[in-house]
Each structure stands twice: as structure tokens, then as C-alpha cells.
């Protein structure tokens, strides 16, 4: 079989040659002892870039979100989350398991929850009610197809909670994709939230790692929470060395992934039997429906894989395609040809 074209996720990106070189040469020390200078450098630069007082290196985005929730919440509190959000949908029930929190889901439109809906969901003082302890936002929004929240949308949602003394956490796993798509400084998108998690290991291509950022006091608390979860790392400067390159060199090139996603979306839209609106996907994630083909998304993904194209089903009728630095424009065109052939073969029966 020809080469694999892996469009399952931007998490599959491999570290660059420069990253590997920097990893080999990285200055290391024990981070639990506070001696990991490369980690400290990354945390300082990350905090500055994301516009917060302090930052904490964590092994994964999931740990970053869950540490944030644990640091913000008391057991038995309620968390307001968007109904399709990663923290609710894909984090193994961590909010219940780790924070002892109850989730209150609100429907969103491309990740945006109407402020009135948030206001309605905030608990009043009543003997029967849990206290609302946290509001979670997501930018870009994974299940909404990499949808982008503007600074204004973020402010509108955050304000409703903060006016009631409720902190706001932003799952910004792909926040740099949002900043690039909007052409704004990423700090505009994080200015109104209390904490933000972002990943180095997705489009930015570091092998491992995410950062949780916020006020210094919050990050001190989060450091302790990370330790109890087993996230206190030792000679992790090796990872931070790659992370520094991710932040310094890999952000601007995300525009290329977005252009490739657009090319892919337009190509998919031109294939009879597939349904996708290319205008609906501003970043690197596309959702395409195969409902008209009369086969399941699961089955379609198996057919694609047999021909060297990998994509994940996200429902019984929809597949997700994610572009990233390890898929070239030429490979996007090849993938489209393969998909076209497969759809033609299905349509014949
Ligand atoms: N998302 C992964 C899967 O878990 C679905 C992917 O392939 O897209 N927040 C958001 C918005 C994410 O998309 C992800 C990963 C995470 C958090 C968790 O990050 P990791 O995988 O580092 O734990």
C-alpha cells in the first residue's frame, strides 16, 4: 500500500528535526525539586505569550483541564460546560471522578453559549441547589469542527459567570489556531478568562506537553494538584526544549494547515454523496457527513483506511478530518482522489 495520509488528528504530528536536536541538548534537572531550568523557561515564556501571570507544564491537555477544574472547584459543586465540549465529552468523566463535580450542559452554536443560557444555568442560593463553581469554554471547539470564538464572544460568556464570582476556564488546546484564523494576538482571546490550558502537542508538533496558565496563586495551587495526579515530572526539560521550539517556530505555520483544510473541504464538497459546507470550518478540523451514501461513517473510515487515508468517525454519519504539518498539499490532493474513487465505487451499488 502507498503511504498513509493521516488525517485523524493533529496529535499525530511528529517532532521536527530541530526539536529532536534541542531535546538531545536540553539542560535538565528535577522539576519536583524546582531544578528544571528548561521547564521553568518554557513556563515563563508560555505565561508571557498567553497573557497570564504564571504557567504550569503538564503532560497532556486532559491533565491540564482536570488540574484546572480541581484547583477551581470544591467537591459537590456544579460546572457549566458546553454540551459537546472536550472536557465533558472526551475526558472520561474526569469532572465527576476527580473533582467530585456535577456537570450542567448547555447547548452551544459553534462553541458559543448564549449568555442568557449561562445566566439561567447559574444556581441561585437555595438549600436544594449545588453551588455553581466553574464555567468552561473551548476555543477552538473540537466537535464543532475547529470553530473559533472571538474575543468579544469570550468576554460576553465569561462576564456572566464572573459577575457572580464564578471563575472561567478556557480549554484552549488549539487557541493558537483560533488566533491565527482571526488574525489577532492570542492574548486577546485569553484576557477575559481566569485560567487557560493550551497544547504544544497538537498542531504545534511537540511530542508531549500542554500548559495551564492563570494567576500566580492559582498556578501554585495547580502545581500541588498536578503532583497528586502523578504529574510531577523529573528531567522533563527534554520535553520543554521541544515545547519552546513549538511556541517559537510552529505558530505562524498553522495558517498552512488552515489553507489545506479549506482545500480539502472544497474538494470533499465537490464529491456527490458527501455533505460539507467549506465555509463552516475556519481552522484545521473538518466534519463531513456520509449520510447520503447510505453507509455508516465507521464503515466509510474502514474503506478509507484500506486505501491509506485515515480519518476518525465522530458520529454514525460523520467523519472528522484534521490537517497538520505532516500532511502536505500534494497529500491532500491524493486523499481527495482516493476518497472520490471510494465514493464512486459505493455509488455504483
Ligand atoms: N483531542 C483529541 C481527542 O481527545 C479527541 C483529538 O484528537 O482532537 N481539549 C481539546 C479541545 C482537545 O481537542 C483535546 C484532544 C484535549 C483537550 C486533550 O488533550 P490531550 O490529548 O493532550 O489530553
Amino acid at each position: 500500500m502507498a503511504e498513509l495520509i493521516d488525517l485523524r488528528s493533529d496529535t499525530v504530528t511528529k517532532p521536527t528535526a530541530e526539536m529532536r536536536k534541542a531535546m538531545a541538548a536540553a539542560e535538565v534537572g528535577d522539576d519536583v525539586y524546582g531544578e528544571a531550568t528548561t521547564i521553568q523557561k518554557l513556563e515563563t515564556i508560555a505565561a508571557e505569550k498567553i497573557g497570564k501571570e504564571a504557567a504550569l507544564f503538564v503532560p497532556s491537555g486532559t491533565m491540564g483541564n482536570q488540574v484546572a477544574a480541581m484547583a477551581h472547584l470544591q467537591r459537590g459543586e456544579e460546572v457549566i460546560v458546553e454540551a459537546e465540549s472536550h472536557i465533558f465529552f472526551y475526558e472520561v468523566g474526569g469532572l465527576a471522578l476527580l473533582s467530585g463535580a456535577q456537570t450542567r450542559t448547555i447547548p452551544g452554536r459553534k462553541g458559543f453559549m448564549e449568555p442568557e443560557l449561562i445566566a439561567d444555568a447559574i444556581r441561585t442560593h437555595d438549600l436544594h441547589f449545588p453551588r455553581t463553581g466553574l464555567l468552561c469554554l473551548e476555543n477552538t471547539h473540537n466537535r464543532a469542527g475547529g470553530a473559533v470564538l472571538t474575543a468579544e464572544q469570550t468576554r460576553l460568556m465569561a462576564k456572566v459567570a464572573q459577575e457572580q464570582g464564578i471563575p472561567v476556564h478556557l480549554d484552549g488546546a488549539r487557541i493558537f489556531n483560533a488566533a491565527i484564523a482571526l488574525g489577532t494576538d492570542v492574548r486577546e482571546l485569553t484576557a477575559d478568562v481566569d485560567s487557560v490550558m493550551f497544547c504544544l502537542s497538537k498542531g504545534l508538533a511537540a511530542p508531549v506537553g500542554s500548559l495551564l496558565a492563570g494567576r500566580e496563586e492559582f498556578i501554585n495551587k495547580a502545581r500541588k494538584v498536578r503532583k497528586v495526579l502523578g504529574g510531577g515530572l523529573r528531567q522533563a526539560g527534554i520535553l520543554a526544549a521541544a515545547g519552546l521550539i513549538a511556541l517559537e517556530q510552529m505558530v505562524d505555520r498553522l495558517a498552512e494547515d488552515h489553507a489545506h483544510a479549506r482545500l480539502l473541504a472544497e474538494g470533499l464538497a465537490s464529491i456527490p454523496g458527501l455533505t460539507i459546507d467549506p465555509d463552516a470550518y475556519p481552522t484545521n478540523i473538518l466534519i463531513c457527513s456520509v449520510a447520503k451514501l447510505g453507509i455508516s461513517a465507521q464503515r466509510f473510515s474502514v474503506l478509507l483506511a484500506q486505501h491509506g487515508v485515515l480519518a476518525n468517525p465522530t458520529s454514525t454519519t460523520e467523519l472528522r478530518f484534521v490537517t497538520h504539518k505532516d500532511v502536505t498539499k500534494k497529500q491532500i490532493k491524493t486523499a481527495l482522489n482516493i476518497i472520490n474513487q471510494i465514493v464512486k465505487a459505493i455509488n455504483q451499488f
Side-chain angles (χ1 to χ4, degrees), residues 9 60-62 65 86 91 138 142 171 173-174 202 320:
S9 182
S60 69
T62 302
N65 281 338
H86 192 280
E91 296 188 16
E138 185 174 318
N142 184 338
D171 175 346
R174 298 183 181 84
K202 302 199 162 52
R320 183 183 81 155

Side-chain angles (χ1 to χ4, degrees), residues 5-180:
I5 302 174
D6 195 343
L7 297 161
R8 287 173 302 170
S9 182
D10 46 12
T11 58
V12 303
T13 45
K14 304 268 171 41
T16 62
E18 204 158 332
M19 284 178 185
R20 288 175 185 268
K21 223 169 117 195
M23 290 171 82
E27 198 178 289
V28 295
D30 190 318
D31 192 37
V32 175
Y33 288 164
E35 294 169 1
T37 46
T38 313
I39 289 273
Q40 286 160 3
K41 184 174 171 195
L42 173 65
E43 289 177 344
T44 305
I45 289 176
E48 206 270 318
K49 264 206 187 332
I50 208 76
K52 297 290 170 200
E53 271 176 28
L56 178 73
F57 182 80
V58 284
S60 69
T62 302
M63 191 187 280
N65 281 338
Q66 296 300 327
V67 165
M70 288 174 79
H72 281 302
L73 288 162
Q74 303 286 335
R75 298 188 78 74
E77 287 187 337
E78 195 163 72
V79 191
I80 301 176
V81 292
E82 198 274 335
E84 297 283 323
S85 61
H86 192 280
I87 201 165
F88 174 69
F89 207 95
Y90 288 124
E91 296 188 16
V92 209
L95 290 172
L97 184 72
L98 301 169
S99 291
Q102 169 168 295
T103 42
R104 179 83 173 260
T105 52
I106 294 190
R109 207 173 38 78
K110 299 186 177 186
F112 180 70
M113 296 171 271
E114 289 299 333
E116 298 75 38
L117 292 184
I118 298 174
D120 281 346
I122 293 174
R123 299 290 193 152
T124 52
H125 294 289
D126 182 303
L127 181 63
H128 303 82
F129 293 164
R131 188 182 164 271
T132 304
L134 183 65
L135 168 67
C136 294
L137 312 178
E138 185 174 318
N139 193 15
T140 66
H141 193 291
N142 184 338
R143 287 186 60 81
V148 165
L149 292 171
T150 63
E152 175 64 4
Q153 286 178 314
T154 307
R155 194 182 63 79
L156 286 173
M157 289 188 283
K159 206 172 87 180
V160 182
Q162 286 160 342
E163 277 172 359
Q164 308 279 340
I166 299 162
V168 179
H169 172 68
L170 172 63
D171 175 346
R174 298 183 181 84
I175 193 73
F176 287 103
N177 291 84
I180 292 288

Side-chain angles (χ1 to χ4, degrees), residues 120-319:
D120 281 346
I122 293 174
R123 299 290 193 152
T124 52
H125 294 289
D126 182 303
L127 181 63
H128 303 82
F129 293 164
R131 188 182 164 271
T132 304
L134 183 65
L135 168 67
C136 294
L137 312 178
E138 185 174 318
N139 193 15
T140 66
H141 193 291
N142 184 338
R143 287 186 60 81
V148 165
L149 292 171
T150 63
E152 175 64 4
Q153 286 178 314
T154 307
R155 194 182 63 79
L156 286 173
M157 289 188 283
K159 206 172 87 180
V160 182
Q162 286 160 342
E163 277 172 359
Q164 308 279 340
I166 299 162
V168 179
H169 172 68
L170 172 63
D171 175 346
R174 298 183 181 84
I175 193 73
F176 287 103
N177 291 84
I180 292 288
L182 291 166
T184 62
D185 187 318
V186 72
R187 283 171 278 220
E188 307 244 336
L189 305 178
T190 61
D192 292 299
V193 300
D194 298 275
S195 59
V196 52
M197 181 283 292
F198 66 93
C199 296
L200 302 168
S201 58
K202 302 199 162 52
L204 303 185
V208 177
S210 296
L211 286 130
L212 175 62
R215 298 194 81 91
E216 200 168 332
E217 201 187 343
F218 171 80
I219 293 301
N220 290 341
K221 194 170 175 192
R223 194 175 294 278
K224 188 111 176 156
V225 175
R226 182 189 68 171
K227 187 76 181 81
V228 79
L229 294 180
L233 301 173
R234 304 297 178 174
Q235 278 66 37
I238 284 181
L239 303 176
L244 282 164
I245 292 175
L247 276 184
E248 281 156 13
Q249 296 180 15
M250 305 302 282
V251 172
D252 290 343
R253 65 148 308 286
L254 293 173
E256 197 179 305
D257 299 344
H258 299 176
H260 288 170
R262 176 80 201 184
L263 184 70
L264 181 57
E266 282 169 359
L268 292 170
S270 73
I271 299 175
L274 299 183
T275 312
I276 181 168
D277 171 7
D279 291 333
Y281 304 100
T283 60
N284 67 329
I285 303 180
L286 308 176
I287 312 281
C288 177
S289 170
V290 296
K292 285 196 204 142
L293 292 178
I295 67 166
S296 71
Q298 183 63 41
R299 176 76 197 126
F300 193 70
S301 76
V302 170
L303 292 174
L304 292 189
Q306 283 168 355
H307 294 84
V309 177
L310 304 183
N312 281 333
T314 50
S315 72
T316 50
T317 55
E318 290 166 318
L319 280 156

